[in-house]
Amino acid sequence: MPRPRSEDRRNAIMSAAARVIASQGLGAATAVIAKEAGVSNGSLFVYFDTKTALLNELYVALKAELGAAVVAGLPVAGEAREQVRHLWTQWSQWAAAYPYRRRALAQLQVADDITAESRQRAHSAMTGAADVLEGSRAEGPMRDVPLGFVLVLISAIAEAAIDEMIREPAQAEARSSVAFDAIWRVLAGPAAPAL
Amino acid sequence: MPRPRSEDRRNAIMSAAARVIASQGLGAATAVIAKEAGVSNGSLFVYFDTKTALLNELYVALKAELGAAVVAGLPVAGEAREQVRHLWTQWSQWAAAYPYRRRALAQLQVADDITAESRQRAHSAMTGAADVLEGSRAEGPMRDVPLGFVLVLISAIAEAAIDEMIREPAQAEARSSVAFDAIWRVLAGPAAPAL
Amino acid sequence: MPRPRSEDRRNAIMSAAARVIASQGLGAATAVIAKEAGVSNGSLFVYFDTKTALLNELYVALKAELGAAVVAGLPVAGEAREQVRHLWTQWSQWAAAYPYRRRALAQLQVADDITAESRQRAHSAMTGAADVLEGSRAEGPMRDVPLGFVLVLISAIAEAAIDEMIREPAQAEARSSVAFDAIWRVLAGPAAPAL
Amino acid sequence: MPRPRSEDRRNAIMSAAARVIASQGLGAATAVIAKEAGVSNGSLFVYFDTKTALLNELYVALKAELGAAVVAGLPVAGEAREQVRHLWTQWSQWAAAYPYRRRALAQLQVADDITAESRQRAHSAMTGAADVLEGSRAEGPMRDVPLGFVLVLISAIAEAAIDEMIREPAQAEARSSVAFDAIWRVLAGPAAPAL
DNA sequence: GATGAATGAGCGTTCATTCAT
DNA sequence: CATGAATGAACGCTCATTCAT
């Protein structure tokens, strides 16, 4: 019975990868990631066949973490608006709590070697959030739009707003509020007049 | 900024860089870019001190091109809503017309070696679009929000929508319409009810 | 030479090594050899201290097998010429029967890490063949040449001929005949005229 | 007009490769070869696309050198026997003069990544020697055998004999003589009696 | 200025060997 | 003893940048 493969080491590598990628970009050397994780460079390849495999798994894992975070503690019986507000609050709090993971996720999102399958899995990890949106758009202008497209639009707003909140922390509170209102208008607002 | 011998060569290199980066990512070799531009690898470094300098200049240039495209032919005296629609139409048409440049721009947007100064310059290049937004939000919920933040949110929606339109060309028309309505709601819609 | 737990495992490893080396060359990974043998990579090093040790043992073992094969069933009382023919027939049949072992042996023959001692042991393993040659050269031109040198020359012809027989199987029969005649002329032929 | 690619550097790399491969085997690191040649490791890849390409070119070049050496100064009008003796003398002298190249050539001959095309080209480089054999076998027992096969057999004897001459330099003279007689018997000797 | 050869640090990955279980 | 995870030196190759021509 050999030393069993350790889930801890695996997690340490993924976690280190997120930190290193956040600060050095996708070009970060596997050797640096391994060192940051406290394992030998060879060990990294025991747990992940290639750097690409590591990036893909990291991407899915981070997205899953985000997907779980945004719906954690969701007021199940609450009003749609409060549910969406919960989503948004959780989202921005996750971003604030794990800035490295968020930055890494942003890089991975546009990485060339994230496979279609990984993107699919990442998408699935956001099902919880999508369900909330589904409920909230029921009577709004988005009611007949494919849910995936709605999720994409809302995610884009959320991410852009968070970027700005990070860039100017002093205004974070105010922008958070503005962003939520914008999201809610996209989802449920009545058509705007032409002025 | 010295005036090098040939502005043509300079442009050829930037244009080639956009194509190559679009298809190979930011890791594209300078030698490949040079070959695509029809110049020697040594020449590339006559026009750009480093690869990073090239990326930064390309980023600003592409953003400036986009910034100019979105306001080209703007109906100056038109209604705000029609002006924003023009913005959106131009934006998505530019994306359709120059897919390589758009892809390159998307990569550059998240590149680690784009400097804060370049981002500032890129932002400035969108002044024309910002002006339009300024006019359209005058009586809406965004009226007291910093204009830069508004631009960021609207840009995010636009880019996300275009991504999806490219991913599913058959639905492009429908999504374009949905996206415009969403943008307009963000800018000028009345507050949405809580359902 | 300690007596390890299982002679079977040891043999399995050597046999696997021959197959793997035949198809992948001397650079074949020990892990691959171990897997082919159905043991763990760690176990390989229980039976052989180093990869070099394995190669050396394999070399000697294969040479011993060949040495035994060539004299198996030797017509003890036969004419010298028939004995040499037997040698040659057996040699080429062994090559045909165990192509992997033959290929591995060919690789090992030129390997840098086969020691002088192993080469000596391998040479000794061919004593049986040498004895036959000893008898056949008694009255020929090779009568005063060191037996080892004769063996080397004859072996070289045999191996070269077999290579060609494998390369062009359709001609194998014809070439086998030519090769035997050549061997016999080397051993026992009268001096050739100058033409 | 850039610095032109230098034939000298190219030759230096090939020559260094022969020396390093002779002493360290085919596993010799490209970096070591480059250093031995007095160029940077990067430069090696300017002249040869891959290590495999270098090995192939080296193989062909060495074989061509040997092929030229064996027929240099051939007594064109001489007797067949003297011509073959010339071949053999030149062959063993080349081996003595360039022991590294000979060792490298021996390694390359069995290398897995020498292509069929390279082997073909190497074969062609020995045409001069083949022509001599063609003339000398005209009335002998090899008269109806494919010339390539004859060349292979003779080469095998030559190489094996040279190996032994190198192993025991004190006996080189004697063995050279024995080897030549053997070669001549193979080519032109009358059938040997059965004893 | 233009060219492309020269450079060498750096990369992802492999693998013989060791060692905890 | 058997196992396979752990290790880290080493490898072939790339590429931004420099420089001789």
Side-chain angles (χ1 to χ4, degrees):
Chain A
M1 248 161 294
R3 193 180 330 191
R5 221 180 269 199
S6 149
E7 202 62 31
D8 281 0
R9 288 174 93 83
R10 200 188 164 78
N11 291 337
I13 292 168
M14 289 226 273
S15 177
R19 288 192 300 280
V20 173
I21 287 170
S23 67
Q24 308 191 22
L26 294 165
T30 52
V32 172
I33 294 171
K35 173 171 264 185
E36 170 81 12
V39 305
S40 72
N41 51 2
S43 275
L44 188 148
F45 291 94
V46 169
Y47 289 90
F48 303 93
D49 281 348
T50 62
K51 184 184 183 181
T52 295
L54 167 58
L55 295 183
N56 275 275
E57 293 218 35
L58 179 60
Y59 174 61
V60 174
L62 289 177
K63 202 73 181 244
E65 190 180 294
L66 171 60
V70 295
V71 296
L74 187 79
V76 184
E79 280 184 14
R81 190 165 194 271
E82 289 319 302
Q83 288 197 335
V84 173
R85 187 193 297 279
H86 183 88
L87 231 57
W88 164 240
T89 304
Q90 293 291 108
W91 194 314
S92 53
Q93 279 177 3
W94 183 83
Y98 304 105
Y100 290 143
R101 297 183 187 187
R102 188 181 121 79
R103 285 202 51 157
L105 187 51
Q107 305 258 20
L108 290 164
Q109 204 102 34
V110 300
D112 289 315
D113 33 26
I114 298 300
T115 65
E117 194 211 333
S118 293
R119 291 187 198 279
Q120 177 55 45
R121 290 173 63 199
H123 188 79
S124 305
M126 297 298 282
T127 308
D131 288 346
V132 172
L133 299 184
E134 177 67 33
S136 67
R137 69 172 178 154
E139 301 175 35
M142 288 293 190
R143 96 184 67 96
D144 295 327
V145 174
L147 184 58
F149 186 50
V150 177
L151 181 57
V152 161
L153 293 184
I154 299 303
S155 297
I157 298 174
E159 289 296 343
I162 289 170
D163 278 341
E164 292 296 299
M165 288 161 66
I166 289 169
R167 247 177 26 95
E168 291 204 42
Q171 309 302 324
E173 201 79 15
R175 290 184 181 175
S176 174
S177 172
V178 167
F180 172 68
D181 290 342
I183 288 171
W184 187 246
R185 255 175 281 137
V186 167
L187 283 173
L195 296 199
Chain B
M1 222 179 297
R3 179 72 44 112
R5 190 60 150 283
S6 155
E7 198 67 28
D8 280 0
R9 290 173 93 81
R10 202 186 160 75
N11 291 337
I13 292 168
M14 288 224 277
S15 177
R19 289 192 298 279
V20 173
I21 287 169
S23 68
Q24 309 192 20
L26 295 165
T30 52
V32 172
I33 294 171
K35 173 172 250 181
E36 170 82 12
V39 305
S40 71
N41 55 359
S43 275
L44 188 149
F45 289 93
V46 170
Y47 291 93
F48 302 93
D49 283 347
T50 63
K51 184 183 185 182
T52 295
L54 166 59
L55 296 183
N56 276 274
E57 293 217 37
L58 178 60
Y59 173 61
V60 173
L62 289 176
K63 202 71 181 251
E65 190 180 295
L66 171 61
V70 294
V71 296
L74 187 77
V76 184
E79 278 184 17
R81 190 166 192 270
E82 288 318 303
Q83 288 198 334
V84 173
R85 188 192 298 278
H86 183 87
L87 229 59
W88 165 239
T89 305
Q90 293 291 107
W91 196 314
S92 52
Q93 280 178 2
W94 182 83
Y98 304 104
Y100 290 144
R101 296 182 188 188
R102 188 185 125 77
R103 281 203 53 154
L105 188 51
Q107 305 255 24
L108 290 163
Q109 205 102 35
V110 300
D112 289 312
D113 32 27
I114 298 302
T115 65
E117 194 210 333
S118 294
R119 292 187 197 279
Q120 178 54 47
R121 290 173 63 199
H123 190 78
S124 305
M126 296 297 282
T127 310
D131 288 347
V132 172
L133 299 185
E134 178 66 34
S136 68
R137 69 175 179 152
E139 302 175 36
M142 288 292 192
R143 97 185 65 93
D144 296 325
V145 174
L147 184 57
F149 186 51
V150 176
L151 179 58
V152 161
L153 293 185
I154 299 303
S155 298
I157 298 174
E159 290 295 344
I162 290 172
D163 279 340
E164 292 295 300
M165 288 161 66
I166 289 169
R167 260 185 5 109
E168 291 204 42
Q171 310 302 323
E173 201 80 15
R175 289 183 182 176
S176 174
S177 170
V178 168
F180 172 69
D181 290 342
I183 288 171
W184 187 246
R185 254 175 281 136
V186 166
L187 283 173
L195 298 200
Chain C
M1 222 180 299
R3 180 69 48 112
R5 190 62 148 283
S6 154
E7 198 68 28
D8 280 359
R9 290 174 93 82
R10 202 187 161 77
N11 291 337
I13 292 168
M14 288 225 277
S15 177
R19 289 193 299 278
V20 173
I21 286 169
S23 67
Q24 309 192 20
L26 294 166
T30 52
V32 172
I33 295 171
K35 174 172 250 183
E36 171 82 13
V39 305
S40 70
N41 55 359
S43 275
L44 188 149
F45 290 92
V46 170
Y47 290 93
F48 303 93
D49 282 348
T50 63
K51 184 183 185 182
T52 296
L54 166 59
L55 297 183
N56 276 274
E57 293 216 36
L58 178 60
Y59 174 61
V60 174
L62 289 176
K63 203 71 182 252
E65 189 179 295
L66 171 61
V70 293
V71 296
L74 188 79
V76 185
E79 279 186 15
R81 190 167 193 271
E82 288 319 304
Q83 288 197 334
V84 172
R85 188 193 296 279
H86 183 87
L87 228 56
W88 165 240
T89 305
Q90 292 291 107
W91 195 313
S92 52
Q93 280 178 1
W94 182 83
Y98 304 103
Y100 290 144
R101 296 182 188 188
R102 187 184 126 78
R103 283 203 52 155
L105 188 52
Q107 306 256 23
L108 290 163
Q109 204 102 34
V110 300
D112 290 312
D113 31 28
I114 298 301
T115 65
E117 194 211 332
S118 294
R119 292 187 197 280
Q120 178 53 46
R121 289 173 62 200
H123 189 79
S124 305
M126 298 296 283
T127 310
D131 288 347
V132 172
L133 299 184
E134 178 66 34
S136 68
R137 70 175 178 153
E139 302 176 34
M142 289 292 192
R143 95 186 66 93
D144 295 327
V145 174
L147 183 57
F149 186 51
V150 177
L151 179 57
V152 161
L153 294 183
I154 299 303
S155 298
I157 298 174
E159 290 296 343
I162 289 171
D163 279 341
E164 293 295 299
M165 288 160 65
I166 289 169
R167 258 184 8 105
E168 290 205 41
Q171 310 302 324
E173 201 79 14
R175 290 185 182 174
S176 174
S177 169
V178 168
F180 172 70
D181 289 342
I183 288 170
W184 187 246
R185 256 176 280 137
V186 167
L187 283 172
L195 298 201
Chain D
M1 246 160 298
R3 191 181 328 192
R5 221 179 270 199
S6 149
E7 203 62 31
D8 282 0
R9 289 175 93 80
R10 199 187 165 78
N11 291 337
I13 293 168
M14 289 226 275
S15 176
R19 289 193 298 281
V20 173
I21 287 169
S23 66
Q24 307 191 22
L26 295 166
T30 52
V32 172
I33 294 171
K35 173 171 265 184
E36 171 81 13
V39 304
S40 72
N41 49 4
S43 276
L44 188 148
F45 291 96
V46 168
Y47 289 91
F48 303 93
D49 281 349
T50 61
K51 184 184 183 182
T52 296
L54 167 58
L55 296 182
N56 276 274
E57 293 218 35
L58 180 59
Y59 174 60
V60 174
L62 289 177
K63 201 74 181 242
E65 190 179 295
L66 171 61
V70 294
V71 296
L74 187 79
V76 184
E79 278 185 16
R81 190 166 195 272
E82 288 319 301
Q83 288 196 334
V84 173
R85 188 194 297 280
H86 183 87
L87 231 56
W88 164 240
T89 305
Q90 291 291 108
W91 194 314
S92 53
Q93 280 177 3
W94 183 84
Y98 304 104
Y100 289 143
R101 298 183 186 188
R102 186 181 124 79
R103 286 203 49 158
L105 188 51
Q107 305 258 19
L108 290 164
Q109 204 102 34
V110 300
D112 289 316
D113 34 25
I114 298 301
T115 65
E117 194 211 332
S118 293
R119 292 187 197 278
Q120 177 54 46
R121 290 173 63 200
H123 188 79
S124 304
M126 297 297 283
T127 309
D131 288 346
V132 172
L133 299 185
E134 177 66 34
S136 67
R137 69 172 177 156
E139 301 176 35
M142 289 292 191
R143 95 186 66 97
D144 295 327
V145 174
L147 184 56
F149 186 50
V150 177
L151 180 57
V152 161
L153 293 184
I154 300 302
S155 298
I157 298 174
E159 290 296 342
I162 290 170
D163 278 340
E164 292 296 299
M165 288 160 67
I166 289 168
R167 248 178 23 96
E168 290 205 43
Q171 310 301 324
E173 202 79 17
R175 290 182 182 177
S176 173
S177 170
V178 168
F180 172 69
D181 289 342
I183 288 171
W184 187 245
R185 254 174 281 136
V186 167
L187 283 172
L195 298 199

